[in-house]
Amino acid sequence: MGHSAAVWDHRAAIEMTEDWNGIQQVLLRNPRGASARVSLHGGHVISWRNDRGEELLFTSSKALFKPPKAIRGGILVCFPQFGNCDSLEQHGFARNKIWTIDDNPPPLHPNDSLGKSFIDLLLKPSEEDMKCWPHSFEFRLRVSLAADGNLTLISRIRNINGKPFSFSFAYHSYLSVSDISEVRIEGLETLDYLDNLRQRERFTEQGDAITFEYEIDRVYLHSPNFVAVLDHERKRTYVIKKEGLPDVVVWNPWEKRSKAMVDFGDEEYQQMLCVDGAAVEKPIILKPGEEWTGRLELAVVPSSYHSEDLDRHRS
Ligand code: BG6
């Protein structure tokens, strides 16, 4: 069978399985052996592996794969709120719902399909959701794996209400790192951020790349559309490319908070870092019939990749 991008049949690259709760999972593969696994519980990407089979996302060894609790790790879709501002549950209900497979999604750009293996998912509010968030919407999520192993998530949220609604959003992404003290983020220097550990007070980041020595929970505002997470020990860099998502949330629970989470190992904060493409500070407002799109693309490149390369990407 030919594996060139032109003849790659995305349906042949998909396998359906079930987890031990009987919830469907979708396994996406690319011709070089990279893979991604998506659970219909939350539309949640629970695994992303490169062509050597190495896992690139962190999932806690204590994660509970049992709805309605969200899975601790992978990439979670936070909607219709990120955080815990009003009567809604923390980070919204989308991550706790069972999504369906969308057999006939409205078309995306051909580049979003060609040579990729992908799955389209759909979430519509249940009667119970409408009680706590009385707005009708259609949320379409495409997860795709490209021939180069890059992982892309495209969220399209449409207002099918008679009146406007607003929401905040994040792709809460748990990256797997060798050792948090060896990691730095480039692309957020000099930005303003809201500190979740200080009642969302606003501060300005200094000029240096961000490194980690204690608990951090921040929303960086108006960030560039490329951010890099460099892991010295593993000699690899995550390149995060986002569109429609002005903010970046950075979270590491560190020691004390890790111990307080039942579904997280005491020492596991050393092996993870959440860097989320998000829209938090200014809610997205959709009028009736309007649609919003938020895209996130994750790539992993060798660490010989420097910030100058990132600058080239940006231009
Ligand atoms: C982070 C938030 O992104 O997610 C933190 O900023 C929160 O405040 C963390 O604790 C994990 O949230 P949850 O609901 O998945 O435990």
Side-chain angles (χ1 to χ4, degrees), residues 129 175 202 218:
D129 301 334
L175 306 179
R202 195 173 177 129
R218 298 177 181 172

Side-chain angles (χ1 to χ4, degrees), residues 72 82 90-91 95 172 174 196 217 249 251 257 276:
R72 176 74 61 198
F82 180 80
Q90 155 114 330
H91 294 342
R95 64 177 181 164
H172 193 19
Y174 286 76
N196 282 331
D217 188 353
V249 181
W251 181 60
R257 237 183 102 92
D276 314 344

